[in-house]
Amino acid sequence: MTKNIVIVGAGFAGVGAARNLGKHFKKDESVNITLIDKNSFLTYMTELHEVAGGRVEPDAVKYDLQRIFHRLKNVHLVTDKVMDINHETQQVKGEHGTYPFDYLIVTAGGEANDFGVKGVKENGFTIWSIEAAERIREHVIDCVYAAAREHDEAKRLALLSFVVCGAGFTGVEMIGELTEWLPELCKEHKLNYDEVSYHLVEAAPSILNTVTEVERERAVKIMEKQGIEISLGDGIVAVEKDHIELASGKQIPSYCTIWTAGVKANTDASTWGFEYGRAGRILADEHLQANGHNNVFVAGDIAYYEDPNQDGRPIPQIVQAAEQTADLAAENVIALMNGSELKSYKGKYDGNMVSIGGRHSVSLLYDKYHLQGFFSTLVKHAANVKYFLSIGSLYYAWTYVRHEFFKIEGGKNMFGGHLAAHGNMLWILPLRLYYGGMWLIEGLKKCFGMFGGSSWFGDTLVFPFEWLKEEVVSSASTAESAEATTEAVKQVFAFNYTHGEEPMLVFKEMPNWFASIMKFFMPNREVAFFMQKFMSVVELAIGLALIVGLFTWLVSAGTVVLVSMFCLSGMFYWANMWFIPVAIALMAGAGRTFGLDYYVMPWLGRIFDKWIWGQPKHIYKEHKA
């Protein structure tokens, strides 16, 4: 009999629960797992401020669910908006279909909580979805554009005044992004950057209340250096189109107020027939079972359970908690199906990290390690990469690294832009052609004895390996053979010689460990002669591939390996060590400029993508009882 497990919401918790269940029941065809979300992608919520602040494009925080679940064929993805849950008939009702369940995990997430403050909905901007982040991004650009054409000084200053309400993690990260983005926008629109002002407003007496005083002080110093005015203990009571009003009566002129002051449960879930606690979150017991519903579990931001392991505090609405609640919910569904004992939730959080722009951050790890600057930012990026690896997506781990380090413009990351991959490859074209020509000449020398070289297809063994010399069986002595080999090497690498002087070898003698490897692959002269001819053809192929710009990255990486082997073999000279840095430089995409890689790589990418991920699935699936 088929058992249906339905998961509502494909955020961090939903994806985690679906993956755990999918792996557990991978070989069990009697279990059907359905993951429902209104989007066909996972939004990386913790990085939305980067989209809103113009650091990365929206696609950088959207991760295709099909890619994430392509190996778990028993997880069925459904793009639909859940409208209701009927607990009596055990059905989830969406706009486009009805989905029966035997077990249900609700991970519908959260949304911004405006606490009923006047004008937030009408005049403010929240940041709890990719759409909201894009609206902020567009509005900031609009404000700067309008300011560049505004002659009234007071209005221009208001247009260039940016307010963030809420000094939690999201608020601090958002204001930090703006301080790095606005200088670029002002320069682009020919505005005086001195007219820009930043305001961080917090109703509580301190910022970042989940970290220690050490992190708070460090964060305040960083923000003050960036020109951010911080108002504490004075919350916003009204948001108007052109200003905000604080509880103290103070007014701050601004056409851009970003609200990050709180989070509540997804209001869509308010009519789904549960018991609700603070901020509309679904009440759950220690097993994360929804109150009154034994076959329904809740996880992520929408779950409300006061954890005795955390001094009775409710489950925090952070990624670590989302992952841990997802793991337990999935584990308890399995336990319920097997009739075994359910486990209780015990939250354990390894630390908190907050970025203040791309170059600054503060962290608290394991409640005792206080980090800031480069190492703090490194830890944050490592945690994000670890997440993608934990859900089995090496592809998205690399995608994250590419967006954060290689595609960032304006130096807005921990390396200050030194890793930026954007550049005009036209100027490296002559180097690619010259480098390819050098390899082509070497290949022609070795294959055909051209350009005064000594062919590697002759009777002379050029590899100066001791165990091969000892195998000589001819009228010539071992010394004569060694002399012939040395002379062959000199002729092959004749371009190393200048003014009759012999340059210095990188390694005069082969290291013992490398000799062991070579002896394994070339135990006798017959194999060595074959490898000698094979290497000749390889060098010829390298030269041709580089000249026409085909598989340039792979070929360049191969040349680094090849030259390294020549060096370790005692056959390469310092005079030509430039071969390695040039090969590394060409790996930056040199084959896409007047090269075949411009056509071949996208074509192979499409074939590879189709082979790995298969044909696109239908967006909507309808399940009927």
Side-chain angles (χ1 to χ4, degrees):
M1 181 177 174
T2 301
K3 294 292 184 181
N4 293 309
I5 303 173
V6 174
I7 303 167
V8 176
F12 291 114
V15 167
R19 281 194 60 81
N20 289 342
L21 290 167
K23 287 190 289 185
H24 183 83
F25 294 111
K26 193 172 185 178
K27 297 181 180 180
D28 190 344
E29 295 182 358
S30 67
V31 177
N32 181 56
I33 303 164
T34 302
L35 178 62
I36 308 172
D37 195 271
K38 64 181 180 180
N39 295 315
S40 61
F41 52 84
L42 163 70
T43 301
Y44 209 83
M45 299 292 293
T46 60
E47 308 303 314
L48 283 177
H49 60 279
E50 295 188 9
V51 175
R55 177 140 59 115
V56 299
E57 295 302 314
D59 284 347
V61 300
K62 294 160 64 175
Y63 297 93
D64 187 357
L65 293 173
Q66 290 185 30
R67 287 188 180 273
I68 295 173
F69 288 98
H70 73 282
R71 296 190 189 280
L72 297 175
K73 305 302 181 184
N74 57 342
V75 177
H76 306 287
L77 304 176
V78 176
T79 303
D80 201 352
K81 182 178 181 180
V82 173
M83 306 301 292
D84 191 22
I85 297 174
N86 190 320
H87 295 280
E88 291 184 2
T89 61
Q90 295 193 158
Q91 291 179 325
V92 173
K93 296 182 178 180
E95 286 185 337
H96 303 279
T98 300
Y99 315 96
F101 66 86
D102 295 290
Y103 303 93
L104 176 66
I105 301 178
V106 179
T107 66
E111 60 185 52
N113 190 350
D114 61 17
F115 302 103
V117 173
K118 176 188 174 185
V120 174
K121 286 185 174 66
E122 297 80 8
N123 303 310
F125 294 84
T126 59
I127 179 172
W128 207 255
S129 68
I130 185 64
E131 295 83 7
E134 291 183 75
R135 283 194 292 270
I136 293 173
R137 182 192 189 107
E138 292 169 1
H139 183 69
V140 171
I141 294 173
D142 290 343
C143 285
V144 174
Y145 180 85
R149 286 152 181 78
E150 181 56 59
H151 292 274
D152 181 88
E153 183 179 1
K155 186 174 181 180
R156 185 171 66 254
L157 293 176
L159 285 165
L160 295 176
S161 172
F162 299 91
V163 175
V164 173
C165 177
F169 279 42
T170 305
V172 171
E173 290 180 329
M174 185 67 247
I175 200 77
E177 292 295 332
L178 291 176
T179 62
E180 291 191 342
W181 190 26
L182 265 298
E184 295 179 6
L185 289 178
C186 287
K187 183 178 180 180
E188 180 182 344
H189 293 277
K190 300 178 177 61
L191 279 166
N192 180 6
Y193 179 64
D194 292 339
E195 294 186 330
V196 177
S197 61
Y198 308 101
H199 308 272
L200 182 62
V201 180
E202 172 57 55
S206 63
I207 68 171
L208 302 173
N209 59 15
T210 59
V211 293
T212 69
E213 190 62 30
V214 174
E215 283 72 43
R216 295 189 194 111
E217 290 180 358
R218 288 175 174 176
V220 167
K221 286 181 180 178
I222 292 170
M223 289 190 286
E224 287 178 343
K225 275 188 176 181
Q226 293 173 330
I228 300 169
E229 181 182 331
I230 304 173
S231 299
L232 300 177
D234 195 6
I236 295 176
V237 296
V239 178
E240 303 295 342
K241 181 180 179 181
D242 59 354
H243 70 280
I244 63 167
E245 297 178 10
L246 303 183
S248 63
K250 179 182 176 182
Q251 292 189 357
I252 300 177
S254 176
Y255 283 84
C256 184
T257 300
I258 302 171
W259 186 272
T260 68
V263 58
K264 62 181 180 180
N266 188 335
T267 53
D268 289 343
S270 62
T271 60
W272 292 353
F274 294 105
E275 292 183 27
Y276 300 94
R278 188 186 309 170
R281 298 166 73 181
I282 299 173
L283 292 175
D285 62 15
E286 69 272 19
H287 310 304
L288 299 182
Q289 287 174 301
N291 286 5
H293 304 280
N294 291 337
N295 65 333
V296 180
F297 294 83
V298 288
D301 290 347
I302 204 167
Y304 187 89
Y305 168 64
E306 295 178 354
D307 186 2
N309 196 51
Q310 296 290 326
D311 300 323
R313 294 190 297 269
I315 297 172
Q317 292 165 299
I318 59 176
V319 175
Q320 289 182 74
E323 293 178 295
Q324 292 174 27
T325 54
D327 292 343
L328 184 66
E331 193 173 346
N332 279 343
V333 166
I334 296 168
L336 203 61
M337 295 174 70
N338 294 335
S340 54
E341 185 178 351
L342 303 184
K343 293 186 178 180
S344 299
Y345 182 75
K346 295 179 180 179
K348 184 179 181 299
Y349 314 114
D350 296 331
N352 291 293
M353 293 161 277
V354 58
S355 62
I356 311 169
R359 291 183 286 260
H360 305 285
S361 73
V362 295
S363 304
L364 173 64
L365 303 182
Y366 306 107
D367 292 326
K368 60 180 178 180
Y369 299 111
H370 308 279
L371 301 179
Q372 64 176 330
F374 180 89
F375 291 106
S376 174
T377 306
L378 182 63
V379 167
K380 181 179 181 182
H381 287 308
N384 288 335
V385 171
K386 178 178 177 291
Y387 170 76
F388 291 114
L389 295 178
S390 72
I391 63 172
S393 182
L394 183 62
Y395 173 85
Y396 277 136
W398 165 244
T399 298
Y400 174 83
V401 170
R402 183 162 53 89
H403 277 294
E404 288 292 334
F405 298 123
F406 301 115
K407 295 187 74 173
I408 292 289
E409 296 182 355
K412 294 183 289 186
N413 65 26
M414 59 190 288
F415 294 103
H418 290 287
L419 298 184
H422 292 294
N424 191 341
M425 289 293 105
L426 177 64
W427 305 113
I428 207 169
L429 175 62
L431 182 62
R432 192 192 86 208
L433 296 175
Y434 175 75
Y435 191 61
M438 293 296 292
W439 277 107
L440 180 63
I441 290 171
E442 284 303 302
L444 292 171
K445 282 182 181 180
K446 293 176 176 61
C447 289
F448 306 107
M450 298 174 64
F451 303 105
S454 177
S455 173
W456 281 19
F457 280 78
D459 297 328
T460 303
L461 183 65
V462 301
F463 296 124
F465 302 158
E466 292 299 325
W467 66 90
L468 297 177
K469 296 176 187 177
E470 293 171 0
E471 288 194 6
V472 175
V473 181
S474 66
S475 58
S477 66
T478 301
E480 289 172 341
S481 176
E483 184 179 348
T485 298
T486 303
E487 183 60 31
V489 172
K490 287 182 178 180
Q491 289 182 17
V492 168
F493 294 97
F495 59 85
N496 288 282
Y497 294 87
T498 55
H499 307 296
E501 297 180 1
E502 182 177 339
M504 184 184 298
L505 286 164
V506 177
F507 283 93
K508 292 183 179 179
E509 296 181 359
M510 193 184 329
N512 291 333
W513 64 269
F514 189 72
S516 300
I517 296 174
M518 288 294 98
K519 193 169 184 178
F520 176 80
F521 285 103
M522 287 189 285
N524 52 56
R525 291 176 67 85
E526 288 74 16
V527 176
F529 269 115
F530 170 78
M531 291 300 299
Q532 181 172 300
K533 296 172 183 177
F534 177 73
M535 295 299 296
S536 304
V537 176
V538 167
E539 291 188 17
L540 187 65
I542 287 174
L544 292 172
L546 289 173
I547 289 172
V548 300
L550 180 63
F551 304 128
T552 308
W553 191 96
L554 186 63
V555 169
S556 298
T559 62
V560 173
V561 175
L562 190 60
V563 171
S564 299
M565 290 175 63
F566 278 136
C567 291
L568 291 167
S569 298
M571 300 172 63
F572 208 76
Y573 303 90
W574 280 109
N576 281 310
M577 282 300 288
W578 58 270
F579 268 46
I580 290 180
V582 169
I584 294 172
L586 295 180
M587 292 168 70
R592 292 178 181 267
T593 301
F594 294 106
L596 294 180
D597 281 347
Y598 181 83
Y599 306 99
V600 173
M601 297 314 291
W603 175 70
L604 285 177
R606 289 191 295 271
I607 292 178
F608 184 75
D609 195 67
K610 183 177 178 181
W611 176 57
I612 292 293
W613 313 115
Q615 294 288 352
K617 301 176 183 177
H618 292 296
I619 294 178
Y620 299 114
K621 286 187 177 182
E622 186 171 344
H623 290 226
K624 295 182 179 179

